């Protein structure tokens, strides 16, 4: 069963307080998502480390319950 956008947002926001998460359904199937995550925790981190924080927030759901996630991350400006 696909993972709903609001569930993805909740996991990220719970793990990264203050994060702003914008979701977009890439295929119209609620199974292929694009997420833009802006979080203060990303300040000073490489893009790889920023993405790792998001994947950690998803708790191993990538590749299973969450099939595809195109990820864009940034620290607030």
């Amino acid at each position: 069963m696909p993972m709903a956008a609001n569930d993805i947002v909740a996991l990220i926001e719970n793990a990264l307080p203050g994060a702003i998460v914008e979701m977009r359904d890439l295929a119209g199937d609620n199974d292929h998502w694009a997420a833009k995550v802006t979080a203060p925790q990303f300040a000073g981190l490489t893009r790889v480390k920023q993405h790792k924080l998001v994947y950690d927030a998803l708790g191993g759901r990538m590749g299973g319950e969450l099939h595809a996630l195109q990820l864009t991350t940034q620290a607030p400006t």
Side-chain angles (χ1 to χ4, degrees), residues 4 32 44 51 54 58 64 75-76:
H32 296 81
H51 286 207
V54 175
L58 298 173

Side-chain angles (χ1 to χ4, degrees), residues 15-61:
L16 301 170
I20 298 169
V21 183
E22 302 169 43
M23 298 293 296
R24 187 167 43 100
D25 187 347
L26 295 174
D29 61 1
N30 290 319
D31 203 24
H32 296 81
W33 295 104
K36 179 179 177 185
V37 182
T38 304
Q41 293 86 348
F42 296 157
L45 297 180
T46 65
R47 191 82 57 215
V48 170
K49 289 181 180 179
Q50 292 174 10
H51 286 207
K52 182 170 179 354
L53 285 177
V54 175
Y55 290 130
D56 288 347
L58 298 173
R61 291 172 178 86

